[in-house]
Amino acid sequence: MTVSLGIDFGTSGARLVAIDTDRNVLWRGTRELSAGQWRETLFNLIQAIPIAVKSRITRIAIDGTSSTVLLCDADGQIIGTPILYYDDRGKTVIDRLRATAPAGHPAISATSSLAKLFWLMSQPHVAGTDYYFLHQADWLAYHLHGKLGISDYHNALKLGYDVELLCYPDWLERHPYRPLLPQVLKPGTPIGTVLPQVAQELGLADDCLVCAGTTDSIAAFIASGAHTPGAAVTSLGSTLVIKLLSHRRVDEGKYGIYSHRLGDLWLVGGASNTGGAVLRHFFSDAELVSLSQEIDPSQPSDLDYYPLLTPGDRFPINDPDLAPRLTPRPDCAVDFLHGLFTGIARIEAHGYHLLAQLGATPLTAVSTAGGGAQNPVWTKIRQQYLPVQISSTDREAAYGAAILAQGEVNQLTVDIDLHLSAVPTV
């Protein structure tokens, strides 16, 4: 029996799931994630897998946060520091983006990969183009297979890659920064075997393949098992991300809406800066649990919030200067949390409404992934704003990355009979 390994790098933590050929979970691992410790976290997660499982791993895929990027040299050493997905320093080069990319392109955003590339290349300590521009998942995979300059077309969408024609468009091919851009592969494509020294250090088989990865939200969608057009997944993690499986591709930069390719269909949606990070700014995890229990979800909140920690959002309002709306703040913490839950629910509903207006396949069901999926009160509040049934899934993004590693992502109609109980975790 062979084993596939999926590894998910999120905002504050990294997770790992190993599955067999029947997609039963054999092992889970998790680690907190600190700045500058991506490689160490990756290696620690793999080293902790029991040898009985690890010795059978034949394929590995990694997902990372979309538009978390870096520059590195020919030895893989990072130039400066990575720029995280929510960082909007690209707004200083937005005029250059508009002059480079076609109107409405998803790369025209203050937080896009391309915006961050333009910003990085404008810094005084960066000279020439003798660098590699990589996404988080690309750089992590490099430390396993040893080949710099390789990405996947999910991560590369906001870099300007044409996911329909599967090539860089002419306007990028002619650009002076073209030498920095990675080779782009189909997600799940084998890149190469694990480096011999890495295989020895981590206890992996010499013939274990490392595959092209994906983004965290697409991995979460794959993990959910959603496979019919009209099915959607809302990821309620640090941010709010929605993905709708659609027959029709929809790209509308005005609203921060873009489409990822998934087999012969399209994943249409967007990512907002609202979400769990706002909640945790004001409340501890214990407070979120206890205060939620005091909320009556059948009673509407009269607070009109647009919950953001800093100015700027990407979707469904694509405005780098959008002001947070968190006032008035009531004295009662329960009422304040109710208002935050409601504000995020309205943003989610607004997003799905926009997708329908712009011609995406009509919404039929919403599955929820991420930490917010475990809050039943918040689910009831969201249900009041969405026209379809909401369900929750405990299938994390790492599980979706493991499916991707199997090379069977296009087989979305396969029923997934999971055996998730009593799975060892470290």
Side-chain angles (χ1 to χ4, degrees):
M1 178 178 61
T2 60
V3 175
S4 296
L5 185 63
I7 305 171
D8 164 55
F9 270 70
T11 304
S12 59
R15 298 164 184 84
L16 171 154
V17 170
I19 62 174
D20 63 19
T21 51
D22 294 323
R23 299 184 180 175
N24 299 310
V25 176
L26 305 178
W27 182 259
R28 281 195 180 96
T30 184
R31 289 285 189 279
E32 291 186 358
L33 193 59
S34 301
Q37 295 182 338
W38 289 355
R39 180 188 180 277
E40 292 81 357
T41 302
L42 173 67
F43 278 40
N44 288 340
L45 275 170
I46 297 175
Q47 286 170 330
I49 303 172
I51 191 63
V53 175
K54 186 159 46 178
S55 63
R56 291 181 286 156
I57 295 173
T58 59
R59 296 167 75 104
I60 300 173
I62 302 174
D63 75 75
T65 48
S66 177
S67 293
T68 293
V69 298
L70 56 91
L71 273 181
C72 69
D73 62 20
D75 295 319
Q77 296 298 310
I78 298 176
I79 308 300
T81 58
I83 304 179
L84 299 182
Y85 63 95
Y86 55 77
D87 193 306
D88 67 349
R89 69 186 72 185
K91 63 186 177 184
T92 61
V93 296
I94 200 74
D95 289 339
R96 288 178 57 198
L97 284 176
R98 293 190 178 114
T100 302
H105 196 283
I108 304 177
S109 167
T111 58
S112 74
S113 299
L114 190 62
K116 290 163 184 165
L117 172 60
F118 278 26
W119 184 89
L120 281 165
M121 296 305 293
S122 69
Q123 301 309 296
H125 66 279
V126 176
T129 57
D130 191 22
Y131 303 103
Y132 292 90
F133 183 73
L134 299 174
H135 300 88
Q136 181 183 41
D138 310 334
W139 187 81
L140 287 165
Y142 152 73
H143 285 283
L144 299 180
H145 58 61
K147 299 178 181 180
L148 277 170
I150 299 177
S151 188
D152 64 88
Y153 62 58
H154 289 159
N155 272 295
L157 174 70
K158 295 180 186 177
L159 185 55
Y161 188 78
D162 190 324
V163 295
E164 188 161 14
L165 298 179
L166 299 181
C167 63
Y168 283 111
D170 288 344
W171 55 270
L172 266 182
E173 287 288 358
R174 299 189 302 265
H175 199 277
Y177 297 160
R178 176 63 180 91
L180 290 83
L181 303 184
Q183 176 187 358
V184 178
L185 303 177
K186 176 183 176 182
T189 301
I191 297 172
T193 55
V194 175
L195 289 167
Q197 64 270 30
V198 173
Q200 183 175 9
E201 179 181 352
L202 300 182
L204 293 166
D206 291 339
D207 60 352
C208 178
L209 288 169
V210 183
C211 305
T214 185
T215 67
D216 55 345
S217 60
I218 294 183
F221 187 94
I222 294 169
S224 75
H227 60 268
T228 57
V233 171
T234 294
S235 295
L236 288 175
S238 297
T239 58
L240 165 72
V241 183
I242 71 174
K243 301 286 186 194
L244 168 70
L245 197 60
S246 175
H247 287 294
R248 181 180 175 185
R249 178 181 183 179
V250 178
D251 291 294
E252 183 52 74
K254 177 182 177 181
Y255 302 111
I257 295 172
Y258 51 91
S259 295
H260 281 284
R261 186 173 188 153
L262 194 66
D264 296 327
L265 299 171
W266 296 95
L267 273 181
V268 184
S272 171
N273 292 336
T274 195
V278 180
L279 301 177
R280 285 193 172 91
H281 178 77
F282 295 105
F283 303 103
S284 67
D285 288 349
E287 288 172 330
L288 287 172
V289 172
S290 62
L291 295 174
S292 293
Q293 294 171 350
E294 298 184 47
I295 295 174
D296 181 357
S298 66
Q299 297 299 314
S301 170
D302 58 1
L303 296 170
D304 183 23
Y305 289 163
Y306 198 105
L308 298 170
L309 289 179
T310 58
D313 202 8
R314 301 170 284 164
F315 166 84
I317 301 174
N318 188 9
D319 180 357
D321 299 314
L322 183 69
R325 197 162 63 243
L326 293 168
T327 57
R329 179 168 177 175
D331 294 331
C332 176
V334 174
D335 292 342
F336 182 49
L337 179 59
H338 191 179
L340 293 175
F341 279 158
T342 300
I344 298 171
R346 288 172 178 153
I347 294 170
E348 178 189 11
H350 182 192
Y352 281 120
H353 180 68
L354 268 177
L355 299 187
Q357 278 188 320
L358 295 171
T361 297
L363 184 67
T364 58
V366 173
S367 179
T368 313
Q374 310 309 316
N375 190 310
V377 172
W378 195 4
T379 298
K380 290 178 181 177
I381 292 172
R382 293 169 53 227
Q383 187 65 78
Q384 297 171 13
Y385 291 90
L386 292 175
V388 299
Q389 188 63 38
I390 299 175
S391 62
S392 297
T393 177
D394 58 359
R395 302 169 186 170
E396 61 264 61
Y399 181 80
I403 294 175
L404 181 69
Q406 288 182 330
E408 300 175 358
V409 171
N410 290 338
Q411 299 178 19
L412 293 175
T413 56
V414 176
D415 291 331
I416 304 175
D417 182 17
L418 300 179
H419 303 281
L420 295 176
S421 60
V423 177
T425 303
V426 64

Short mmCIF file of all heavy atoms in Angstrom, two decimals, residues 152-191:
data_model
loop_
_atom_site.label_atom_id
_atom_site.label_comp_id
_atom_site.label_asym_id
_atom_site.label_seq_id
_atom_site.Cartn_x
_atom_site.Cartn_y
_atom_site.Cartn_z
N ASP A 152 3.08 26.27 -9.76
CA ASP A 152 1.89 25.63 -10.30
C ASP A 152 0.92 26.71 -10.76
O ASP A 152 1.03 27.87 -10.34
CB ASP A 152 1.22 24.76 -9.22
CG ASP A 152 0.73 25.61 -8.06
OD1 ASP A 152 -0.41 26.09 -8.10
OD2 ASP A 152 1.51 25.82 -7.11
N TYR A 153 -0.06 26.34 -11.60
CA TYR A 153 -0.90 27.40 -12.17
C TYR A 153 -1.99 27.90 -11.24
O TYR A 153 -2.69 28.85 -11.57
CB TYR A 153 -1.44 27.02 -13.55
CG TYR A 153 -2.35 25.83 -13.69
CD1 TYR A 153 -3.55 25.71 -13.00
CD2 TYR A 153 -2.04 24.83 -14.62
CE1 TYR A 153 -4.40 24.64 -13.20
CE2 TYR A 153 -2.88 23.75 -14.83
CZ TYR A 153 -4.06 23.66 -14.12
OH TYR A 153 -4.90 22.59 -14.32
N HIS A 154 -2.15 27.30 -10.08
CA HIS A 154 -3.03 27.91 -9.08
C HIS A 154 -2.32 29.07 -8.39
O HIS A 154 -2.86 30.17 -8.30
CB HIS A 154 -3.45 26.86 -8.04
CG HIS A 154 -4.41 25.84 -8.56
ND1 HIS A 154 -4.58 24.61 -7.97
CD2 HIS A 154 -5.24 25.86 -9.62
CE1 HIS A 154 -5.47 23.92 -8.64
NE2 HIS A 154 -5.88 24.65 -9.65
N ASN A 155 -1.10 28.84 -7.92
CA ASN A 155 -0.35 29.92 -7.29
C ASN A 155 -0.01 31.02 -8.28
O ASN A 155 0.05 32.20 -7.92
CB ASN A 155 0.93 29.36 -6.66
CG ASN A 155 0.73 28.88 -5.24
OD1 ASN A 155 0.43 29.66 -4.35
ND2 ASN A 155 0.89 27.57 -5.02
N ALA A 156 0.23 30.65 -9.55
CA ALA A 156 0.72 31.61 -10.53
C ALA A 156 -0.38 32.48 -11.15
O ALA A 156 -0.06 33.40 -11.92
CB ALA A 156 1.47 30.88 -11.64
N LEU A 157 -1.64 32.22 -10.83
CA LEU A 157 -2.73 33.02 -11.43
C LEU A 157 -2.54 34.51 -11.17
O LEU A 157 -2.62 35.33 -12.08
CB LEU A 157 -4.08 32.56 -10.88
CG LEU A 157 -5.28 33.40 -11.30
CD1 LEU A 157 -5.59 33.20 -12.78
CD2 LEU A 157 -6.51 33.08 -10.45
N LYS A 158 -2.26 34.88 -9.91
CA LYS A 158 -2.13 36.29 -9.56
C LYS A 158 -0.75 36.85 -9.88
O LYS A 158 -0.45 38.00 -9.59
CB LYS A 158 -2.47 36.50 -8.09
CG LYS A 158 -3.93 36.18 -7.78
CD LYS A 158 -4.23 36.40 -6.31
CE LYS A 158 -5.63 35.95 -5.96
NZ LYS A 158 -5.92 36.09 -4.52
N LEU A 159 0.06 36.02 -10.50
CA LEU A 159 1.32 36.47 -11.06
C LEU A 159 1.14 36.88 -12.52
O LEU A 159 2.03 37.49 -13.12
CB LEU A 159 2.37 35.36 -10.94
CG LEU A 159 3.80 35.65 -11.36
CD1 LEU A 159 4.37 36.86 -10.62
CD2 LEU A 159 4.67 34.43 -11.12
N GLY A 160 -0.03 36.56 -13.09
CA GLY A 160 -0.32 36.93 -14.46
C GLY A 160 -0.39 35.76 -15.41
O GLY A 160 -0.68 35.94 -16.60
N TYR A 161 -0.16 34.53 -14.93
CA TYR A 161 -0.16 33.36 -15.79
C TYR A 161 -1.56 33.13 -16.37
O TYR A 161 -2.57 33.31 -15.69
CB TYR A 161 0.27 32.14 -14.98
CG TYR A 161 0.49 30.89 -15.80
CD1 TYR A 161 1.65 30.73 -16.54
CD2 TYR A 161 -0.45 29.87 -15.83
CE1 TYR A 161 1.88 29.58 -17.28
CE2 TYR A 161 -0.24 28.72 -16.56
CZ TYR A 161 0.92 28.58 -17.29
OH TYR A 161 1.14 27.44 -18.03
N ASP A 162 -1.62 32.74 -17.65
CA ASP A 162 -2.88 32.48 -18.33
C ASP A 162 -3.29 31.03 -18.06
O ASP A 162 -2.72 30.11 -18.65
CB ASP A 162 -2.74 32.72 -19.84
CG ASP A 162 -4.07 32.71 -20.57
OD1 ASP A 162 -4.95 31.90 -20.19
OD2 ASP A 162 -4.23 33.47 -21.54
N VAL A 163 -4.27 30.84 -17.19
CA VAL A 163 -4.65 29.48 -16.79
C VAL A 163 -5.56 28.81 -17.80
O VAL A 163 -5.86 27.62 -17.67
CB VAL A 163 -5.32 29.49 -15.40
CG1 VAL A 163 -4.34 29.93 -14.34
CG2 VAL A 163 -6.57 30.38 -15.39
N GLU A 164 -5.99 29.55 -18.81
CA GLU A 164 -6.79 28.94 -19.87
C GLU A 164 -5.89 28.44 -21.00
O GLU A 164 -6.04 27.30 -21.46
CB GLU A 164 -7.83 29.93 -20.41
CG GLU A 164 -8.81 29.30 -21.38
CD GLU A 164 -10.06 30.12 -21.55
OE1 GLU A 164 -10.08 31.31 -21.14
OE2 GLU A 164 -11.04 29.58 -22.08
N LEU A 165 -4.94 29.25 -21.41
CA LEU A 165 -4.02 28.86 -22.48
C LEU A 165 -2.78 28.14 -21.94
O LEU A 165 -1.99 27.60 -22.71
CB LEU A 165 -3.60 30.09 -23.28
CG LEU A 165 -4.72 30.84 -24.00
CD1 LEU A 165 -4.16 32.05 -24.73
CD2 LEU A 165 -5.46 29.92 -24.97
N LEU A 166 -2.60 28.16 -20.62
CA LEU A 166 -1.49 27.49 -19.95
C LEU A 166 -0.14 27.99 -20.44
O LEU A 166 0.74 27.24 -20.85
CB LEU A 166 -1.60 25.97 -20.11
CG LEU A 166 -2.87 25.34 -19.51
CD1 LEU A 166 -2.87 23.84 -19.71
CD2 LEU A 166 -3.01 25.70 -18.04
N CYS A 167 0.01 29.31 -20.37
CA CYS A 167 1.28 29.94 -20.74
C CYS A 167 1.30 31.35 -20.16
O CYS A 167 0.26 31.88 -19.75
CB CYS A 167 1.45 29.98 -22.25
SG CYS A 167 0.20 30.99 -23.10
N TYR A 168 2.48 31.94 -20.12
CA TYR A 168 2.54 33.36 -19.77
C TYR A 168 2.04 34.17 -20.97
O TYR A 168 2.40 33.88 -22.11
CB TYR A 168 3.96 33.78 -19.43
CG TYR A 168 4.42 33.34 -18.05
CD1 TYR A 168 5.39 32.36 -17.89
CD2 TYR A 168 3.87 33.91 -16.91
CE1 TYR A 168 5.80 31.96 -16.63
CE2 TYR A 168 4.27 33.52 -15.65
CZ TYR A 168 5.24 32.54 -15.51
OH TYR A 168 5.64 32.14 -14.26
N PRO A 169 1.22 35.18 -20.72
CA PRO A 169 0.73 36.01 -21.83
C PRO A 169 1.85 36.84 -22.44
O PRO A 169 2.91 37.04 -21.83
CB PRO A 169 -0.33 36.89 -21.16
CG PRO A 169 0.10 36.98 -19.73
CD PRO A 169 0.73 35.65 -19.41
N ASP A 170 1.60 37.35 -23.62
CA ASP A 170 2.62 38.13 -24.33
C ASP A 170 3.10 39.33 -23.52
O ASP A 170 4.30 39.66 -23.54
CB ASP A 170 2.06 38.62 -25.68
CG ASP A 170 1.91 37.49 -26.69
OD1 ASP A 170 2.51 36.42 -26.46
OD2 ASP A 170 1.19 37.68 -27.68
N TRP A 171 2.19 39.97 -22.80
CA TRP A 171 2.59 41.16 -22.06
C TRP A 171 3.57 40.83 -20.93
O TRP A 171 4.33 41.69 -20.50
CB TRP A 171 1.39 41.93 -21.53
CG TRP A 171 0.42 41.17 -20.67
CD1 TRP A 171 -0.67 40.47 -21.08
CD2 TRP A 171 0.47 41.03 -19.24
NE1 TRP A 171 -1.32 39.91 -20.01
CE2 TRP A 171 -0.64 40.23 -18.87
CE3 TRP A 171 1.33 41.50 -18.25
CZ2 TRP A 171 -0.92 39.90 -17.53
CZ3 TRP A 171 1.07 41.16 -16.92
CH2 TRP A 171 -0.04 40.38 -16.58
N LEU A 172 3.58 39.59 -20.45
CA LEU A 172 4.57 39.17 -19.47
C LEU A 172 5.83 38.62 -20.14
O LEU A 172 6.94 38.80 -19.65
CB LEU A 172 3.99 38.13 -18.52
CG LEU A 172 3.39 38.64 -17.21
CD1 LEU A 172 2.90 37.47 -16.36
CD2 LEU A 172 4.39 39.48 -16.42
N GLU A 173 5.65 37.92 -21.25
CA GLU A 173 6.80 37.37 -21.97
C GLU A 173 7.75 38.49 -22.41
O GLU A 173 8.96 38.28 -22.48
CB GLU A 173 6.34 36.57 -23.19
CG GLU A 173 5.70 35.23 -22.87
CD GLU A 173 6.72 34.21 -22.39
OE1 GLU A 173 7.93 34.51 -22.35
OE2 GLU A 173 6.32 33.08 -22.06
N ARG A 174 7.21 39.65 -22.70
CA ARG A 174 8.03 40.78 -23.15
C ARG A 174 8.57 41.63 -22.01
O ARG A 174 9.35 42.55 -22.23
CB ARG A 174 7.20 41.68 -24.08
CG ARG A 174 6.69 41.02 -25.35
CD ARG A 174 6.08 42.06 -26.29
NE ARG A 174 5.00 42.81 -25.66
CZ ARG A 174 3.71 42.50 -25.78
NH1 ARG A 174 3.35 41.44 -26.50
NH2 ARG A 174 2.78 43.23 -25.20
N HIS A 175 8.16 41.32 -20.78
CA HIS A 175 8.49 42.20 -19.66
C HIS A 175 9.93 41.95 -19.18
O HIS A 175 10.43 40.83 -19.21
CB HIS A 175 7.52 41.96 -18.50
CG HIS A 175 7.49 43.08 -17.53
ND1 HIS A 175 8.42 43.21 -16.52
CD2 HIS A 175 6.66 44.15 -17.41
CE1 HIS A 175 8.16 44.30 -15.83
NE2 HIS A 175 7.10 44.90 -16.34
N PRO A 176 10.62 43.00 -18.73
CA PRO A 176 11.99 42.84 -18.23
C PRO A 176 12.12 41.87 -17.06
O PRO A 176 13.20 41.32 -16.82
CB PRO A 176 12.38 44.27 -17.80
CG PRO A 176 11.50 45.15 -18.62
CD PRO A 176 10.20 44.42 -18.79
N TYR A 177 11.03 41.66 -16.32
CA TYR A 177 11.09 40.75 -15.17
C TYR A 177 10.84 39.29 -15.55
O TYR A 177 10.84 38.41 -14.68
CB TYR A 177 10.07 41.16 -14.11
CG TYR A 177 10.30 42.52 -13.50
CD1 TYR A 177 9.27 43.20 -12.85
CD2 TYR A 177 11.55 43.15 -13.57
CE1 TYR A 177 9.46 44.45 -12.29
CE2 TYR A 177 11.75 44.40 -13.02
CZ TYR A 177 10.70 45.05 -12.38
OH TYR A 177 10.91 46.29 -11.83
N ARG A 178 10.63 39.02 -16.82
CA ARG A 178 10.33 37.64 -17.24
C ARG A 178 11.37 36.63 -16.76
O ARG A 178 11.00 35.51 -16.36
CB ARG A 178 10.18 37.58 -18.77
CG ARG A 178 9.98 36.17 -19.33
CD ARG A 178 8.67 35.56 -18.82
NE ARG A 178 8.45 34.22 -19.33
CZ ARG A 178 8.85 33.10 -18.72
NH1 ARG A 178 9.55 33.18 -17.59
NH2 ARG A 178 8.58 31.92 -19.23
N PRO A 179 12.68 36.95 -16.74
CA PRO A 179 13.67 35.95 -16.30
C PRO A 179 13.47 35.48 -14.86
O PRO A 179 13.96 34.40 -14.49
CB PRO A 179 15.01 36.68 -16.45
CG PRO A 179 14.77 37.72 -17.50
CD PRO A 179 13.35 38.17 -17.27
N LEU A 180 12.77 36.25 -14.04
CA LEU A 180 12.56 35.86 -12.65
C LEU A 180 11.40 34.90 -12.47
O LEU A 180 11.28 34.25 -11.42
CB LEU A 180 12.29 37.09 -11.77
CG LEU A 180 13.42 38.07 -11.50
CD1 LEU A 180 13.58 39.06 -12.63
CD2 LEU A 180 13.17 38.81 -10.20
N LEU A 181 10.52 34.83 -13.46
CA LEU A 181 9.27 34.10 -13.29
C LEU A 181 9.49 32.59 -13.34
O LEU A 181 10.29 32.09 -14.13
CB LEU A 181 8.27 34.51 -14.37
CG LEU A 181 7.94 36.00 -14.45
CD1 LEU A 181 6.87 36.25 -15.51
CD2 LEU A 181 7.48 36.53 -13.09
N PRO A 182 8.75 31.85 -12.52
CA PRO A 182 8.95 30.40 -12.47
C PRO A 182 8.33 29.67 -13.65
O PRO A 182 7.42 30.18 -14.31
CB PRO A 182 8.23 30.00 -11.17
CG PRO A 182 7.15 31.04 -11.03
CD PRO A 182 7.75 32.31 -11.54
N GLN A 183 8.85 28.49 -13.92
CA GLN A 183 8.17 27.56 -14.82
C GLN A 183 6.89 27.11 -14.13
O GLN A 183 6.88 26.83 -12.93
CB GLN A 183 9.06 26.35 -15.09
CG GLN A 183 8.42 25.27 -15.95
CD GLN A 183 9.29 24.02 -16.06
OE1 GLN A 183 10.40 23.99 -15.52
NE2 GLN A 183 8.79 23.01 -16.73
N VAL A 184 5.79 27.03 -14.86
CA VAL A 184 4.50 26.74 -14.26
C VAL A 184 3.99 25.38 -14.73
O VAL A 184 3.92 25.11 -15.94
CB VAL A 184 3.47 27.84 -14.60
CG1 VAL A 184 2.11 27.50 -13.99
CG2 VAL A 184 3.96 29.19 -14.09
N LEU A 185 3.62 24.53 -13.78
CA LEU A 185 3.13 23.20 -14.06
C LEU A 185 1.70 23.04 -13.58
O LEU A 185 1.21 23.83 -12.76
CB LEU A 185 4.00 22.15 -13.35
CG LEU A 185 5.50 22.15 -13.68
CD1 LEU A 185 6.20 21.09 -12.84
CD2 LEU A 185 5.73 21.91 -15.16
N LYS A 186 1.02 22.02 -14.08
CA LYS A 186 -0.29 21.65 -13.58
C LYS A 186 -0.17 21.19 -12.13
O LYS A 186 0.73 20.42 -11.79
CB LYS A 186 -0.88 20.53 -14.43
CG LYS A 186 -2.22 20.00 -13.93
CD LYS A 186 -2.67 18.85 -14.81
CE LYS A 186 -3.97 18.23 -14.27
NZ LYS A 186 -4.39 17.06 -15.09
N PRO A 187 -1.02 21.68 -11.23
CA PRO A 187 -0.96 21.21 -9.85
C PRO A 187 -1.02 19.68 -9.78
O PRO A 187 -1.81 19.04 -10.46
CB PRO A 187 -2.20 21.84 -9.21
CG PRO A 187 -2.45 23.07 -10.03
CD PRO A 187 -2.08 22.69 -11.43
N GLY A 188 -0.15 19.11 -8.95
CA GLY A 188 -0.09 17.66 -8.81
C GLY A 188 0.90 16.99 -9.73
O GLY A 188 1.14 15.79 -9.60
N THR A 189 1.50 17.74 -10.66
CA THR A 189 2.48 17.17 -11.59
C THR A 189 3.77 16.82 -10.84
O THR A 189 4.31 17.66 -10.12
CB THR A 189 2.82 18.17 -12.70
OG1 THR A 189 1.64 18.51 -13.42
CG2 THR A 189 3.84 17.58 -13.67
N PRO A 190 4.31 15.61 -10.99
CA PRO A 190 5.58 15.29 -10.35
C PRO A 190 6.70 16.18 -10.86
O PRO A 190 6.86 16.37 -12.07
CB PRO A 190 5.81 13.83 -10.75
CG PRO A 190 4.45 13.28 -11.05
CD PRO A 190 3.70 14.44 -11.66
N ILE A 191 7.47 16.75 -9.95
CA ILE A 191 8.61 17.61 -10.29
C ILE A 191 9.90 16.80 -10.26
O ILE A 191 10.75 16.93 -11.14
CB ILE A 191 8.69 18.80 -9.32
CG1 ILE A 191 7.45 19.68 -9.45
CG2 ILE A 191 9.95 19.62 -9.58
CD1 ILE A 191 7.35 20.77 -8.40
#
